[in-house]
């Protein structure tokens, strides 16, 4: 782990807590929140934008040469040339947030040399801070976490993601196969928080037929550093165009990859 990565991860930990305090202030006054639609069941509020601005200003003031890719504000110039790139979802689970459901989080990922080097996910509602740095394991509020040891899909709950931005057939086919295999599922509306829960062993796995990089990069590093696996999300320009995601603990890899084949190879 280089000092450049360590210093950035430490700075991100300070920034994410400040962002969490701002987000909770907005969450506590939803009646005053301006909410807009980005598309079918895809909302954004001033909370998303203001939290992302706080994170962007905090990180780029400390590391002005870094690149930045945020869900709401987009990308700084030529992110593919940035030695260090921040990938941010200011509020993942926005639909829960704007409806007063305390199932949302803030996700910050650091990418360098084509790999996710650090990931931080804060759920200020608990509060729980999940952190991973490549090669240094994963933790929740400072305690080490590991993926679930389930040996089959019957061994726990599989998280699923779904939005109207994607055709439903592949997701429904995988869902049917999961149920026929004796599994159960839960959609909580936040890919990032679901991935943090996979890393902590609370869900045995997760899949969604298409997500954006800002939804999942921090969570995927958490899962890998907690002993799990995933498809190669960054393949085929996943950073800028998104990809399907399937991930989980080692004991269910073959089974979950098989039922998600319609999603991974549509
Ligand atoms: C959400 C994702 C989730 C997806 C939702 C939404 P957002 O991100 O985390 O997996 O199913 O439709 O896109 O928009 O709340 O940041």
């Amino acid at each position: 782990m280089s000092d450049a990565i360590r210093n950035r991860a430490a700075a991100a930990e300070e920034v994410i807590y400040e962002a969490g305090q701002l987000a909770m202030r907005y969450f506590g006054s939803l009646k005053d929140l301006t909410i807009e639609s980005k598309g079918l069941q895809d909302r954004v509020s001033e909370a998303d934008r203001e939290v992302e601005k706080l994170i962007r200003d905090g990180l780029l003031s400390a590391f002005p040469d870094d690149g930045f890719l945020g869900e709401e504000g987009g990308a700084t110039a030529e992110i593919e040339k940035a030695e260090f790139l921040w990938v941010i979802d200011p509020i993942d689970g926005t639909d829960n947030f704007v409806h007063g459901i305390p199932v949302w989080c803030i996700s910050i990922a650091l990418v360098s040399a084509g790999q996710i080097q650090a990931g931080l996910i804060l759920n200020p509602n608990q509060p729980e801070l999940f952190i991973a740095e490549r090669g240094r394991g994963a933790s929740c509020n400072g305690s080490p976490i590991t993926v679930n040891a389930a040996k089959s899909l019957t061994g726990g709950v599989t998280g699923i993601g779904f939005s109207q931005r994607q055709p439903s057939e592949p997701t429904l086919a995988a869902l049917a196969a999961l149920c026929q295999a004796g599994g159960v599922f839960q959609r909580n509306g936040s890919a990032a928080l679901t991935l943090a829960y996979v890393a902590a062993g609370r869900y045995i796995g997760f899949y969604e037929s298409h997500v954006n990089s800002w939804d999942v990069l921090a969570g995927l590093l958490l899962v890998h550093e907690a002993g799990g696996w995933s498809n190669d999300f960054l393949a085929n320009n996943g950073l800028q165009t998104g990809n399907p995601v399937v991930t989980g603990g080692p004991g269910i890899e073959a089974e979950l990859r098989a039922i998600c084949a319609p999603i991974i190879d549509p």
Side-chain angles (χ1 to χ4, degrees):
M1 171 66 54
S2 71
D3 286 346
I5 300 291
R6 292 250 60 208
N7 292 341
R8 284 169 169 79
E13 186 170 346
E14 290 183 24
V15 168
I16 204 168
Y17 274 120
E18 289 175 47
Q21 290 170 349
L22 177 60
M24 287 301 284
R25 287 199 293 274
Y26 278 111
F27 193 58
S29 58
L30 293 176
K31 63 185 185 325
D32 303 323
L33 204 57
T34 304
I35 301 164
E36 299 165 31
S37 171
K38 296 192 288 187
L40 183 57
Q41 299 205 33
D42 192 6
R43 294 173 178 82
V44 62
S45 77
E46 66 193 286
D48 299 80
R49 295 196 174 102
E50 291 304 315
V51 170
E52 183 170 313
K53 183 180 185 301
L54 181 149
I55 295 170
R56 182 189 187 124
D57 292 351
L59 293 174
L60 295 189
S61 62
F63 308 104
D65 297 330
D66 288 6
F68 190 95
L69 172 60
E71 176 174 11
E72 309 309 341
T76 50
E78 300 183 315
I79 59 170
E80 61 281 352
K81 294 180 180 174
E83 183 181 3
F84 298 100
L85 173 66
W86 297 99
V87 183
I88 310 296
D89 192 337
I91 294 176
D92 189 65
T94 297
D95 205 60
N96 292 338
F97 184 96
V98 301
H99 288 96
I101 300 169
V103 181
W104 53 271
C105 63
I106 299 168
S107 181
I108 297 178
L110 178 63
V111 176
S112 184
Q115 292 185 307
I116 311 163
Q117 301 292 345
L120 300 89
I121 292 175
L122 174 66
N123 175 0
N125 300 282
Q126 294 290 89
E128 287 187 321
L129 176 61
F130 300 86
I131 297 181
E133 295 176 23
R134 178 171 292 276
R136 294 173 59 90
S139 65
C140 174
N141 289 350
S143 299
I145 54 176
T146 56
V147 293
N148 196 293
K151 297 294 183 220
S152 85
L153 293 173
T154 62
V157 177
T158 300
I160 66 160
F162 175 72
S163 75
Q164 288 294 341
R165 298 186 304 275
Q166 56 208 342
S168 58
E169 292 74 14
T171 299
L172 295 175
L175 207 51
L178 175 69
C179 296
Q180 286 156 5
V184 292
F185 60 90
Q186 188 176 90
R187 177 194 187 270
N188 73 15
S190 169
L193 200 54
T194 302
L195 288 166
Y197 291 173
V198 171
R202 300 173 189 174
Y203 290 133
I204 59 175
F206 170 63
Y207 69 82
E208 184 159 1
S209 62
H210 184 274
V211 283
N212 295 300
S213 57
W214 46 77
D215 297 317
V216 298
L217 291 191
L220 285 174
L221 182 65
L222 278 163
V223 171
H224 281 273
E225 288 297 321
W229 55 273
S230 76
N231 64 308
D232 180 3
F233 183 84
L234 288 174
N236 306 317
N237 196 25
L239 178 69
Q240 300 199 55
T241 60
N243 257 328
V245 61
V246 59
T247 181
I252 62 162
E253 180 170 4
E255 208 178 357
L256 189 55
R257 282 184 183 272
I259 72 164
C260 287
I263 285 175
I264 298 302
D265 304 308

